[in-house]
Amino acid sequence: MPHLLRYLSVSFSIPTIYRNELPAFRGAIAQKVGFEHDFFHNHQEKSGFIYRYPLIQYKLFKQHQPGILCLQEGVDNIYHLFEKKSWDISLHNEPINLKIAHLKMEQYQLQVHNRMFPFRINGWQALNQKNYQTYRGIESMTERIEMLEKLLIAHLLWFAKGVGWMIEERIDLSITNISEMKPLDFKKTPVLAFNVEFKTNMFIPPQIGIGKGASRGLGTVYPNHTRFVEQTETPITPL
């Protein structure tokens, strides 16, 4: 069934940072708003990590501008940052004043279509420790891709569930290209990250994250070409 998604992205004009600095940026924002607001960091003091799809995600936008992507309840919670009288944060022990470079607030109609659309995903952590060993044990590239396709569908359904989208239709998906597989340090643990091109009949809003590290800029999904954006990001209704 179609489902309405509230979507807000904001980027900040601060000195250039890089992808591996996003966890520090996330920590600085969480400290600024107060750690009692767990949508900003997905942790609880007593029980540790909160296993849920992150509705506040930290991104690098154009010109390496750091920013925040907010979905559903995350849109409401960004108020805890915007209400602050001072927007000074500390990044690597350096004081930085946040200034908004760009803010976009929209609504997306989420639905499953009867045709396939192209996407790409960067830095996707598809594998945990258990299925990494399974993946390494598969000799056939075709079977490896089939395994990744199943994992990609599962991760997209995790996003759908996280934003309250109950999908009743069949999800069709095929990986068309694996452009890169590279080792990556995640929480001081070496992991394998994939850059993948794929097609699916599921509408995916631009720049949402899936997989491990989705809140830290990993596993970011993009439409695969401009024409696709013009054709499929409708209807979009500014709030």
Side-chain angles (χ1 to χ4, degrees):
M1 296 178 61
H3 184 73
L4 194 64
L5 176 75
R6 292 185 295 148
Y7 179 109
L8 182 148
S9 65
V10 55
S11 61
F12 301 99
S13 56
I14 70 172
T16 297
I17 71 171
Y18 298 94
R19 188 210 59 78
N20 61 358
E21 296 178 286
L22 279 177
F25 177 70
R26 177 187 188 227
I29 295 294
Q31 184 176 31
K32 184 68 179 178
V33 300
F35 290 109
E36 67 272 20
H37 303 297
D38 56 51
F39 275 96
F40 286 86
H41 53 81
N42 278 340
H43 286 83
Q44 289 180 336
E45 184 177 353
K46 294 183 178 180
S47 58
F49 181 73
I50 304 172
Y51 186 77
R52 66 184 175 198
Y53 180 78
L55 297 179
I56 290 182
Q57 303 174 14
Y58 299 83
K59 303 287 183 180
L60 279 186
F61 294 107
K62 294 180 179 179
Q63 287 81 47
H64 287 268
Q65 290 178 331
I68 302 173
L69 176 64
C70 308
L71 308 173
Q72 303 299 56
E73 294 95 332
V75 175
D76 303 321
N77 276 264
I78 197 65
Y79 164 77
H80 296 299
L81 174 62
F82 289 168
E83 71 173 349
K84 299 296 182 183
K85 294 181 180 180
S86 166
W87 280 19
D88 293 331
I89 64 171
S90 177
L91 189 62
H92 303 311
N93 296 318
E94 293 290 334
I96 293 176
N97 180 255
L98 296 178
K99 294 181 180 179
I100 293 178
H102 181 72
L103 187 147
K104 178 174 67 174
M105 193 169 188
E106 297 179 320
Q107 292 180 335
Y108 286 88
Q109 187 76 16
L110 304 178
Q111 64 185 93
V112 177
H113 295 268
N114 57 7
R115 57 183 178 136
M116 305 282 274
F117 301 107
F119 296 91
R120 58 187 172 88
I121 179 170
N122 294 340
W124 174 42
Q125 291 190 53
L127 307 169
N128 56 30
Q129 289 183 343
K130 181 178 179 180
N131 55 31
Y132 174 75
Q133 297 302 325
T134 302
Y135 180 85
R136 288 290 302 272
I138 299 174
E139 295 183 0
S140 165
M141 192 61 196
T142 299
E143 292 181 7
R144 283 189 172 189
I145 291 175
E146 288 176 353
M147 178 180 175
L148 291 175
E149 287 173 343
K150 291 178 181 177
L151 290 169
L152 186 49
I153 290 174
H155 288 177
L156 289 171
L157 290 175
W158 180 50
F159 150 73
K161 181 179 179 181
V163 298
W165 181 17
M166 303 303 295
I167 299 178
E168 299 176 350
E169 300 88 347
R170 172 187 169 90
I171 301 299
D172 295 321
L173 183 146
S174 62
I175 290 176
T176 56
N177 184 40
I178 300 177
S179 58
E180 188 175 12
M181 293 184 290
K182 56 184 178 182
L184 189 70
D185 284 334
F186 180 71
K187 296 182 179 180
K188 299 182 179 180
T189 301
V191 296
L192 189 63
F194 295 82
N195 290 351
V196 168
E197 296 174 12
F198 66 99
K199 292 183 178 181
T200 182
N201 61 340
M202 178 182 177
F203 174 75
I204 307 172
Q207 296 188 302
I208 64 123
I210 62 171
K212 285 185 175 294
S215 66
R216 304 178 179 210
L218 295 175
T220 300
V221 181
Y222 303 89
N224 213 14
H225 53 77
T226 303
R227 185 179 176 185
F228 169 73
V229 175
E230 295 172 348
Q231 290 179 346
T232 65
E233 287 187 5
T234 55
I236 303 175
T237 308
L239 295 178

